[in-house]
Amino acid sequence: MGLIFEGKSIAKYLATVLNFEMQKNNRREFIKSAAITGSAYAVANSNIDVFGADIVKRQISLGYDNFAVRAMRWNASELIHYAAELKCDTIFITDFGPFEKLDDEKYLQNLSTLASGKGVKILLGSWSICPTARRFKGDWGTADEHLKLGVRMAKALGSPAFRVVLGDRGDRLSEGGIEARIADTVKVLKRNKNYCVDHGVKIAMENHAGDMHSTELVTLIEEAGSDFVGANMDSGNAVWTLEDPIENLRNLGKYAITTSLRDTAIWESENGVTAQWTAMGEGSVDLVKYFDLYQKLCPKTAVNIETISGFNRELRINDDSFWKAWPKGKPKGYEEFLKLAKKGKPRKAWAPPKGVNKDKADQDYQKNEIANSIDYCRNKLGLGLK
C-alpha cells in the first residue's frame, strides 16, 4: 500500500500540488522548482507525466493497419510477427495481398492460431464493393463474390468484421453523384445480408479517400442495416471531406466496428486548406480530446493506426470548381474544420534523404512512423491492453 498523507496517497497528494504549481509557473520554472523542492518524487512514483498531467489507462485495444508498412511487402505471417514485436493487440490486414491463399480455410485458421499464440487478433479488410465506383476491381469476381469471399476469410481468421470501401473523391463527380454510388453499394449489402449474418461477420464501410462525409456514411449504414453494417472510421480521410476528425468521430463513433486512424496537420494555404497526414501526436488534432470522446462512444472498438505520412494535399476550397463535388453546399461541421485549419502552420512534404536508396528510405520511414505512433498511443494516450 502506498504512503498516506491527510487521507490521500502521497502520489495523489503531490499530483494535486503539481497541478497547482503549474498554474503559477511556466513549464521550465515548474520543473526547476520541482527538482529543488523534491516534488519530482511524484513524477517518479505516480501515473503522471513531467508536466503533471494524468496519463489515463484507457483499456482500449491497440494495433496497426498493414498499409502503414506497405513498403515492406510483408506476408501475413510477417505482419503478425511485427505486431507482436510492437506489442500490439491487433493487426488489421486491409487487403488480400499479404495472403498466400484466399479461400483455403485451413491456411487461414493456421494464421489465426499463430496470431493468437502471440496475443494478437487479426482483423480483415479489402477494397471496393461498389460495382459502379472508379476503384472497383474485378480481381475477385463481382461485387457480391468479392464480399462473400471476404466474409468467408474473416470467419476463418476469427475476424468479427470485414472492412470494405465504396471508392474515392472522384466518385462525388460521377453520374448521379455520391448518392448514386451509395445506393449501388447498399443494394450489394442488402443482397448479401443473410450470408454475412449466417457467418457471424459484420461489414465495416470506410469513409475512404474523400468519397463520403461521415453523415453520408451514416446514411449508407442505416439504409443497408446497422445490425450488420457499421463503420471503419478513418480520422485522416475525414479531413479530405472537410471534417475535423473529432466531429467525424462524433458522427461515426457509435457505428464504428473497426478503425484506421492517424494524426493530421492542417493549415490555410493559397487556394484553400492543405493537409498532411502525420504520425500520432505530430499533427493538429487534439488527441486527448479525441480519445476522451472515443472512450465514451466506442471503447470496445480497437484503435488501429494507419500512418500514411509525409505528403501534402491541398483542398482548393477557394476555387468554385471544387464545390461541384458538393452540390448540396458546405457539409455539417465545416466551420469546425476551418477553425482547425486556422490553428495550423505550413509544413514541407517528406522526401527521401539524398544518396539513400528510395525503397530503403521508404521502408525505414514507414517503420519509424508506425513505431513512434504506437509508442505515443501507449505512453501518452494510455491505449493498449499490454
Side-chain angles (χ1 to χ4, degrees):
M1 181 180 294
L3 296 174
I4 302 299
F5 180 80
E6 293 185 354
K8 298 180 180 180
S9 70
I10 288 291
K12 289 184 177 180
Y13 176 79
L14 288 177
T16 302
V17 173
L18 289 175
N19 287 327
F20 177 74
E21 289 294 324
M22 278 291 291
Q23 295 175 21
K24 298 194 301 181
N25 304 305
N26 63 34
R27 289 185 173 192
R28 183 169 299 177
E29 290 304 313
F30 164 70
I31 293 173
K32 187 186 297 182
S33 67
I36 294 171
T37 64
S39 297
Y41 173 89
V43 174
N45 293 278
S46 68
N47 196 33
I48 57 176
D49 67 20
V50 295
F51 301 127
D54 288 326
I55 300 173
V56 179
K57 185 63 177 174
R58 299 181 187 276
Q59 295 299 317
I60 296 174
S61 296
L62 175 64
Y64 77 96
D65 183 314
N66 73 296
F67 198 68
V69 287
R70 57 205 174 279
M72 301 305 299
R73 301 181 183 86
W74 281 332
N75 64 30
S77 295
E78 291 168 322
L79 290 168
I80 292 167
H81 284 292
Y82 189 57
E85 182 182 327
L86 293 178
K87 295 182 172 60
C88 289
D89 304 304
T90 55
I91 169 63
F92 195 5
I93 304 178
T94 51
D95 63 275
F96 291 162
F99 296 98
E100 297 169 18
K101 303 173 186 177
L102 300 185
D103 219 350
D104 185 321
E105 187 173 348
K106 184 175 181 179
Y107 161 75
L108 296 171
Q109 288 176 343
N110 286 341
L111 286 175
S112 180
T113 300
L114 171 66
S116 180
K118 294 182 176 297
V120 176
K121 186 174 184 62
I122 300 175
L123 299 171
L124 179 68
S126 186
W127 297 106
S128 176
I129 60 162
C130 177
T132 56
R134 299 195 321 164
R135 293 206 180 197
F136 179 77
K137 301 177 181 180
D139 297 9
W140 308 289
T142 65
D144 297 64
E145 290 167 342
H146 180 198
L147 183 63
K148 287 180 177 178
L149 171 61
V151 167
R152 290 195 300 275
M153 290 177 65
K155 182 175 177 61
L157 289 165
S159 173
F162 176 48
R163 189 285 313 243
V164 292
V165 307
L166 185 156
D168 62 28
R169 62 192 181 281
D171 291 305
R172 301 193 67 85
L173 295 169
S174 63
E175 184 176 354
I178 197 65
E179 290 83 2
R181 305 291 75 76
I182 289 173
D184 292 339
T185 305
V186 167
K187 290 175 184 176
V188 173
L189 290 166
K190 283 186 172 181
R191 283 199 299 266
N192 293 283
K193 176 177 181 176
N194 289 341
Y195 193 86
C196 297
V197 172
D198 289 347
H199 283 74
V201 174
K202 291 188 175 183
I203 306 303
M205 290 294 313
E206 182 175 321
N207 55 306
H208 182 257
D211 60 359
M212 289 181 288
H213 186 273
S214 61
T215 55
E216 294 165 334
L217 179 50
V218 168
T219 296
L220 185 156
I221 292 168
E222 291 291 352
E223 290 185 359
S226 59
D227 55 330
F228 83 107
V229 179
N232 180 59
M233 188 165 56
D234 190 309
S235 57
N237 287 339
V239 175
W240 285 17
T241 50
L242 314 177
E243 296 184 82
D244 179 329
I246 293 177
E247 295 305 305
N248 176 270
L249 168 61
R250 203 180 305 280
N251 295 333
L252 290 180
K254 73 174 185 177
Y255 298 97
I257 50 180
T258 56
T259 64
S260 298
L261 306 180
R262 55 194 166 279
D263 204 349
T264 304
I266 178 173
W267 63 90
E268 292 181 309
S269 53
E270 181 179 358
N271 300 297
V273 170
T274 295
Q276 181 186 127
W277 291 333
T278 73
M280 297 294 280
E282 296 182 6
S284 304
V285 183
D286 183 338
L287 293 179
V288 172
K289 182 177 179 181
Y290 185 94
F291 284 105
D292 282 347
L293 181 59
Y294 191 105
Q295 192 160 24
K296 293 178 182 178
L297 297 178
C298 48
K300 295 182 180 180
T301 301
V303 169
N304 289 290
I305 305 301
E306 183 191 21
T307 40
I308 316 174
S309 308
F311 70 97
N312 294 345
R313 180 173 296 282
E314 188 174 44
L315 305 168
R316 300 170 68 90
I317 59 175
N318 295 338
D319 186 336
D320 289 343
S321 64
F322 176 88
W323 295 100
K324 291 180 180 179
W326 299 88
K328 293 182 179 179
K330 297 175 177 61
K332 178 182 177 183
Y334 181 68
E335 293 304 319
E336 295 301 317
F337 166 78
L338 291 181
K339 287 179 185 177
L340 187 63
K342 289 182 182 297
K343 298 176 183 178
K345 295 181 180 180
R347 302 190 184 193
K348 292 182 179 180
W350 176 80
K354 291 182 179 180
V356 178
N357 176 272
K358 185 179 183 306
D359 288 344
K360 179 65 165 56
D362 283 340
Q363 291 178 348
D364 290 344
Y365 179 65
Q366 290 177 14
K367 288 180 70 176
N368 187 63
E369 290 289 280
I370 191 61
N372 286 346
S373 291
I374 294 296
D375 181 74
Y376 184 89
C377 287
R378 178 176 291 117
N379 295 312
K380 296 297 183 181
L381 299 174
L383 299 173
L385 303 180
K386 296 178 181 175

